[in-house]
């Protein structure tokens, strides 16, 4: 890699960190503003559940973007460290993928909160109650985090950090989560749009 490419790469990484960190701060600001104005919103008879979901959504957005910024900084520093010790290449690749996939898992949780909100509004529009919806979403998110931790631990522990196995397993896990969320948003979003037109 030439010196010019290294400089360009460093500049782009710096801009990425700035972008993700700024969006994390902005989401945190909106979350704190929502929390501080909760009484005012309740006096205006805004739905308490909607405010709770908004707070959770903003928290996860902030955490995902902060973790993504931290991951980029960590990756850049690890590259410098591991450049000197070539025999740790497998560790570096495993850590690279861990630092890039964990924020995506948090992002998936944030999207699942959005899906939960859409499904709840859909059920309210049909005057139905779904008391087990939130526990089900919490349980499914817990299962995904448990699977992710298991994949990370097994690929690190069994035969040294096996980057390819970790990458393959987590790709399938995250792809399945995103596909399920996308289908859910499509199905309930279109259903809700149809109900609102009536």
């Amino acid at each position: 890699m030439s010196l010019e490419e290294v400089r360009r790469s460093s500049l782009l990484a710096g801009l990425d960190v700035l972008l993700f960190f700024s969006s994390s701060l902005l989401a945190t600001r909106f979350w704190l503003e929502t929390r501080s104005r909760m009484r005012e919103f309740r006096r205006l008879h805004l739905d308490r559940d909607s405010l709770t979901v908004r707070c959770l959504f903003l928290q996860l957005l902030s955490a995902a973007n902060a973790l993504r910024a931290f991951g980029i900084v960590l990756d850049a520093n690890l590259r410098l460290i591991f450049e000197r010790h070539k025999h740790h290449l497998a560790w570096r690749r495993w850590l690279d993928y861990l630092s890039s996939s964990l924020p995506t898992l948090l992002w998936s949780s944030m999207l699942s909160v959005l899906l939960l909100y859409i499904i709840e509004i859909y059920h309210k529009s049909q005057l139905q109650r779904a008391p087990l919806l939130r526990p089900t979403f919490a349980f499914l998110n817990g299962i995904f985090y448990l699977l992710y931790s298991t994949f990370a631990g097994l690929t690190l522990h069994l035969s040294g950090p096996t980057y390819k196995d970790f990458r393959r397993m987590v790709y399938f896990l995250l792809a399945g989560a995103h596909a399920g969320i996308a289908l859910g948003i499509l199905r309930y979003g279109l259903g809700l749009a149809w109900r609102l037109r009536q």
Side-chain angles (χ1 to χ4, degrees):
M1 190 182 272
S2 71
L3 186 60
E4 186 61 34
E5 288 174 328
V6 169
R7 284 180 183 161
R8 193 178 306 132
S9 176
S10 299
L11 177 65
L12 290 174
L15 289 174
D16 281 346
V17 168
L18 185 63
L19 175 69
F20 284 120
F21 189 68
S22 299
S23 61
S24 174
L25 287 178
L26 194 61
T28 303
R29 179 181 166 267
F30 285 129
W31 169 62
L32 291 173
E33 181 183 322
T34 302
R35 293 229 0 167
S36 66
R37 297 179 61 190
M38 203 67 98
R39 287 183 186 164
E40 179 186 335
F41 289 146
R42 286 183 191 143
R43 273 198 312 267
L44 295 171
H45 303 291
L46 292 178
D47 185 25
R48 184 177 184 171
D49 287 341
S50 296
L51 294 173
T52 303
V53 168
R54 175 183 169 157
C55 284
L56 183 58
F57 181 83
L58 289 170
Q59 282 176 312
L60 287 170
L61 177 62
S62 175
N65 286 337
L67 198 57
R68 181 85 63 198
F70 176 73
I72 293 170
V73 171
L74 180 69
D75 179 56
N77 286 318
L78 287 176
R79 282 179 194 272
L80 290 175
I81 292 168
F82 287 126
E83 198 64 35
R84 297 182 195 126
H85 307 286
K86 299 286 186 187
H87 60 281
H88 290 300
L89 184 62
W91 281 92
R92 195 197 93 204
R93 289 191 173 178
W94 186 88
L95 285 171
D96 279 350
Y97 201 71
L98 182 75
S99 67
S100 66
S101 61
L102 188 57
T104 307
L105 187 63
L106 267 179
W107 181 263
S108 299
S109 291
M110 183 202 69
L111 291 177
S112 74
V113 170
L114 178 63
L115 175 59
L116 171 65
Y117 183 66
I118 291 171
I119 293 174
E120 285 183 341
I121 293 204
Y122 176 80
H123 284 295
K124 284 179 184 177
S125 73
Q126 294 189 332
L127 301 176
Q128 295 175 343
R129 293 189 69 230
L132 295 177
L133 200 57
R134 288 186 181 192
T136 302
F137 268 75
F139 176 75
L140 289 174
N141 270 289
I143 290 292
F144 273 97
Y145 281 94
L146 182 65
L147 285 172
Y148 183 88
S149 302
T150 303
F151 294 159
L154 285 176
T155 54
L156 177 66
H157 222 34
L158 289 179
S159 58
T162 51
Y163 169 71
K164 289 179 182 175
D165 292 337
F166 180 53
R167 182 183 65 183
R168 190 180 315 114
M169 288 186 221
V170 172
Y171 269 148
F172 283 125
L173 180 70
L174 294 175
H178 283 118
I181 290 169
L183 288 172
I185 289 175
L186 185 65
R187 186 254 184 260
Y188 285 100
L190 290 175
L192 184 59
W194 181 78
R195 290 287 297 175
L196 292 174
R197 279 199 199 121
Q198 289 183 330

